[in-house]
Amino acid sequence: MSVKLSSYVWDGCAAAGMKLTSVAIMARLADFSNDEGVCWPSIETIARQLGAGPSTVRTAISKLEEGGWLTRQQRRAGNRNAPNIYRLNVAKLRKAALSHPPESDPSESDASKYDGSKSDASKSDASESGKNECFDPPESGGDQSVTSKQDPSVESKPPCQVAPQPDPDVLITDQAKQVLKHLNLTTGSRFTASNSSLENIRARLREKFTPEELQMVVDYKTEDWRGTEQEEYLRPATLFIPKNFPGYLQRAGKWDAAGRPKKLNGRWAKPGDITKIDTPDSATPAGFRGA
């Protein structure tokens, strides 16, 4: 999370006439970003956190890109799209924030009573130039008393700089726990966040499958196996092993595209490709007794 960019967004974007939805999206992107404005949250994550539809988020991001507030780079992992990489326009955000300072900030002078372009920098009070130094160093007018008091560490590493990005393994483990939680809620299971439960989930996430794809497989196989002998195999060791998961994901994608039909008496409620590729899926998963 970049505190500096979040401050720029809240101080500048709304004052620049940006719509509330776009301001909220910029704020979420700033929360995910480092100080260089780089982040890669998925559209679904932003939409879920803001309570908006994915199409609304995509439209707003396209307008923000047209307005020069950010750029995005599309990524692919194999044959699948991976979350875009976003780079916020830090220079534009900073300019917008500084051109609309908070009216309640006592450290700022009344803009209507002060013309900075007509001030004599050599006569300015050193204490005042020290306040503005981090934003506009030339305003110090070369006053040595200002630069001599500046802590060198401040210039090379601003106080608002946040810690480095979290360890990727920590992020993957957190995502894996969310997938496991979804499995427990969907199936009524009580799997604990142990290595044996998380190892296959983490392995698929490292292969650039998204948490949303893993959760979709859980939803699909729960509907497919509920009330059958295969229901006992609704567990991480079956759903997410490399031998089973790609096939499950392909079927789950078609099931999702077909409107997530229900399965009644061993048959899908709606005709279509689902019944052709998966009627019925009664085989015992590989690696278990009876296979």
Side-chain angles (χ1 to χ4, degrees):
M1 173 181 178
S2 175
V3 176
K4 176 176 68 177
L5 289 184
S6 294
S7 175
Y8 288 169
V9 168
W10 292 116
D11 287 347
C13 288
M18 188 180 294
K19 292 184 177 180
L20 181 59
T21 300
S22 298
V23 174
I25 291 173
M26 286 292 292
R28 292 307 300 142
L29 291 174
D31 286 344
F32 283 110
S33 296
N34 56 21
D35 274 359
E36 285 70 42
V38 179
C39 60
W40 49 90
S42 67
I43 293 293
E44 291 75 13
T45 297
I46 299 173
R48 183 178 67 253
Q49 293 180 349
L50 295 181
S55 60
T56 300
V57 174
R58 290 190 184 93
T59 300
I61 288 178
S62 295
K63 291 181 179 179
L64 288 169
E65 187 175 24
E66 292 173 2
W69 294 99
L70 58 83
T71 58
R72 55 182 167 175
Q73 175 185 344
Q74 294 185 341
R75 295 191 299 165
R76 290 185 66 82
N79 294 325
R80 298 175 297 103
N81 289 326
N84 294 331
I85 296 178
Y86 300 97
R87 185 180 297 273
L88 304 185
N89 189 336
V90 178
K92 185 168 183 174
L93 285 170
R94 178 176 178 272
K95 182 178 179 181
L98 297 182
S99 64
H100 299 88
E103 295 181 0
S104 60
D105 187 352
S107 66
E108 300 292 338
S109 60
D110 186 346
S112 64
K113 300 178 181 179
Y114 176 76
D115 185 354
S117 64
K118 297 180 180 180
S119 65
D120 186 350
S122 63
K123 298 180 181 179
S124 61
D125 182 44
S127 62
E128 292 299 323
S129 63
K131 293 179 182 178
N132 298 325
E133 181 179 338
C134 62
F135 297 106
D136 194 1
E139 289 296 323
S140 64
D143 188 342
Q144 295 300 318
S145 65
V146 176
T147 57
S148 63
K149 295 180 181 179
Q150 176 67 31
D151 184 351
S153 64
V154 174
E155 182 177 355
S156 60
K157 188 175 182 180
C160 60
Q161 183 172 347
V162 297
Q165 291 295 305
D167 189 320
D169 286 339
V170 174
L171 179 60
I172 285 177
T173 296
D174 289 343
Q175 292 175 337
K177 289 179 180 179
Q178 289 298 317
V179 173
L180 185 66
K181 180 180 179 181
H182 181 77
L183 174 62
N184 285 336
L185 291 174
T186 303
T187 63
S189 303
R190 295 183 179 180
F191 295 107
T192 60
S194 61
N195 285 333
S196 60
S197 296
L198 296 176
E199 60 180 349
N200 285 299
I201 302 177
R202 287 187 293 218
R204 303 293 78 76
L205 292 171
R206 289 191 183 98
E207 293 171 357
K208 303 304 181 182
F209 291 102
T210 67
E212 290 79 11
E213 289 174 326
L214 273 68
Q215 291 174 2
M216 182 171 64
V217 166
V218 170
D219 295 342
Y220 165 64
K221 295 311 295 180
T222 300
E223 185 62 36
D224 187 22
W225 286 347
R226 182 182 285 121
T228 70
E229 295 179 356
Q230 281 70 43
E231 188 171 9
E232 65 178 292
Y233 299 114
L234 290 170
R235 52 194 179 191
T238 305
L239 298 174
F240 305 120
I241 60 175
K243 184 176 181 179
N244 294 343
F245 182 75
Y248 291 164
L249 179 59
Q250 182 182 23
R251 295 169 185 168
K254 294 184 178 181
W255 171 74
D256 184 66
R260 298 196 169 205
K262 299 293 183 181
K263 196 170 187 180
L264 304 174
N265 299 322
R267 297 183 63 85
W268 295 103
K270 295 182 179 180
D273 292 339
I274 294 294
T275 59
K276 295 179 182 179
I277 67 169
D278 201 18
T279 305
D281 187 1
S282 58
T284 302
F288 295 88
R289 294 180 181 178

